[in-house]
Amino acid sequence: LAMFDVAWAAFEQRYICELIAIEERARKLVVRAIDCEAKLPISEVPGRTAGDFPASAAVEEELLKFISTLNSIANYKRKGRDDLGVDIVRSARAIMRAEAPAAKPGSSRAAARVLASDIIASYTALRCYFRKVKHCIEHVDPHLCNNEGLVARLVDYEETWEIGARYILDAPMLDAICDLVCQVHEAQRVAPELTAMIQDCDVELFMVLPRLVVLCFLADPRAKRAALVRSLLPHRFWPTSPDAALGRLGPELERLSLSFRQAASLLSSSLSSTDSTTAETCQAAVWEELVRQAVNGERASGAPKEAQRVARDLVHSIETWSLELQRH
C-alpha cells in the first residue's frame, strides 16, 4: 500500500503539472496580449485621444494581431475572422481627432464620428478586458470560447471592424454616408413623423428609409450620396474604368431618373401656379412634397391635390427600387 500510495502521488503530480502546462499554453495568447496592452498608454478614455500620447505603433500593431488571432479562435458567434488589420483603428482614431471640432449632432460629419467612435469603443473594451484579467489569469478558461466576456468583446470588435472596413477606409463611401445622414436630418424637419419612427425603431422605418435613399439619389445622381447606391446596386450601372469617379446609369435607372425629372417638373408647375414663388423656393417645395409622400404615404400633406397625385405616383414608381435596396 505504501508503494502504491507513492506511485499514485507521483502520477497525480505529473498529471497536474502537465495539465497546468497545457492550460498555460492555451492562455498564452491572452497573456501575450496582456503584455502588449500593458506597454501602451491608457489612451482611449473620455475626452482624450491617442494623439495625446506618443504610443508605440509597433506595440499596438502587435496587440491588434493578437486580437485578430484570438478572434479566429474564440469568436464562435460570428465569422471568427483572422484578418482584422490595424488600419481600421488608426483611421477611426484619425477621424475622431479631425472631426472633433465640427462633428456636432446634425453636422455634415457627425455620422463619420459615430462610426469611428464605435470602433474605438470596441477596441477600448478589449483593452479593458485584458487589464481586468491581468491579475486573475488563472480564472480565464483555457477553452477560450468559454470566456463570455472575451467572446462578447470580440463579437463587438469584429462587427465594428467590418463596418469600418466598408465605410471608414473608403473615403467616397464615408462621404456618401455623411451626405445621406444630412438628408435624413433634413427629412425629419420636413416630416416630423420620421423622427418618431427613428426613435421607436418603427417597422415602417425600414420601408421609408430606402425610399428616401432612392429619392436622394434621383435628386442628384452625381452627388456624394450616389456612391452608396452604386455599392448596393452595382448591377444597375454600366461598367466603368477603375479610375472613373462615377459610373453611368444603367437603362432601367436612367428611365427612373427621367421619370423623376418629369414628375419634378409637373410638381413645380402645380406648386408654382398657386403662388408667385421663386425658382429656388419652388424647388424646395417640390422636394418637401416628395419627402412627405415618402414618409406619410397616402395621408394628405396640405399641398394641392394635383401635386399630391404627382408625388404619390412617383413614390409608387420607386417602391420596387426601395425593395431592391432592402434586399441588399
Side-chain angles (χ1 to χ4, degrees):
L1 287 176
M3 292 177 62
F4 176 78
D5 188 53
V6 170
W8 183 259
F11 166 75
E12 281 188 330
Q13 182 181 15
R14 184 175 179 181
Y15 171 78
I16 292 173
C17 288
E18 288 186 0
L19 185 61
I20 291 173
I22 292 171
E23 290 185 351
E24 287 178 350
R25 286 197 297 271
R27 297 189 186 105
K28 189 175 182 179
L29 267 176
V30 177
V31 172
R32 294 173 72 180
I34 289 172
D35 291 341
C36 281
E37 198 285 327
K39 297 175 185 177
L40 293 173
I42 305 176
S43 55
E44 322 300 347
V45 294
R48 309 178 79 176
T49 69
D52 299 322
F53 303 93
S56 170
V59 174
E60 182 168 66
E61 184 173 347
E62 188 177 7
L63 171 61
L64 289 167
K65 286 180 179 178
F66 286 138
I67 290 175
S68 182
T69 305
L70 279 170
N71 187 68
S72 68
I73 295 172
N75 188 357
Y76 67 93
K77 292 187 176 181
R78 290 193 94 249
K79 299 174 184 176
R81 302 179 63 135
D82 63 354
D83 60 345
L84 307 181
V86 302
D87 292 343
I88 301 297
V89 171
R90 291 175 181 172
S91 298
R93 189 179 287 139
I95 288 174
M96 292 287 286
R97 290 198 301 268
E99 307 297 345
K104 299 177 181 178
S107 72
S108 62
R109 302 298 294 181
R113 186 170 176 82
V114 169
L115 291 173
S117 64
D118 286 345
I119 294 169
I120 295 300
S122 65
Y123 172 54
T124 302
L126 273 167
R127 290 189 59 184
C128 290
Y129 176 84
F130 294 138
R131 289 197 294 271
K132 180 180 178 181
V133 301
K134 178 179 181 179
H135 303 293
C136 56
I137 191 65
E138 68 280 359
H139 293 163
V140 175
D141 194 313
H143 298 283
L144 298 179
C145 59
N146 291 336
N147 297 282
E148 293 184 4
L150 175 62
V151 173
R153 289 164 176 80
L154 288 173
V155 167
D156 190 30
Y157 180 70
E158 184 183 286
E159 183 177 357
T160 57
W161 186 94
E162 289 184 336
I163 293 173
R166 183 168 188 179
Y167 300 113
I168 295 292
L169 293 184
D170 188 336
M173 186 66 73
L174 183 61
D175 289 341
I177 291 295
C178 292
D179 187 17
L180 186 60
V181 168
C182 285
Q183 294 299 316
V184 171
H185 283 309
E186 178 63 19
Q188 289 178 261
R189 181 191 65 79
V190 175
E193 298 86 350
L194 179 59
T195 301
M197 291 182 191
I198 294 173
Q199 292 174 346
D200 299 338
C201 292
D202 195 314
V203 66
E204 191 175 355
L205 174 66
F206 301 99
M207 297 292 291
V208 171
L209 278 181
R211 291 177 200 150
L212 292 176
V213 171
V214 176
L215 278 177
C216 289
F217 170 74
L218 294 174
D220 189 357
R222 309 287 295 182
K224 293 178 179 179
R225 70 194 78 130
L228 179 62
V229 177
R230 289 196 303 276
S231 72
L232 294 173
L233 304 176
H235 55 288
R236 294 298 188 179
F237 293 80
W238 288 109
T240 183
S241 59
D243 58 341
L246 293 169
R248 288 174 51 207
L249 304 184
E252 298 88 355
L253 206 50
E254 188 64 57
R255 284 195 291 272
L256 182 66
S257 179
L258 177 61
S259 297
F260 176 87
R261 293 194 297 270
Q262 291 173 343
S265 178
L266 290 172
L267 265 173
S268 179
S269 300
S270 176
L271 292 172
S272 61
S273 64
T274 61
D275 192 11
S276 56
T277 56
T278 64
E280 184 177 348
T281 303
C282 187
Q283 185 178 7
V286 168
W287 178 248
E288 289 177 1
E289 180 59 27
L290 289 173
V291 168
R292 280 191 288 266
Q293 286 293 336
V295 174
N296 297 325
E298 302 293 335
R299 283 168 282 183
S301 63
K305 289 185 177 181
E306 178 62 18
Q308 291 186 44
R309 184 192 64 77
V310 173
R312 186 164 54 248
D313 289 346
L314 176 62
V315 171
H316 284 169
S317 70
I318 69 172
E319 196 63 25
T320 57
W321 292 85
S322 68
L323 291 173
E324 187 172 353
L325 274 181
Q326 290 178 49
R327 291 195 295 270
H328 291 79

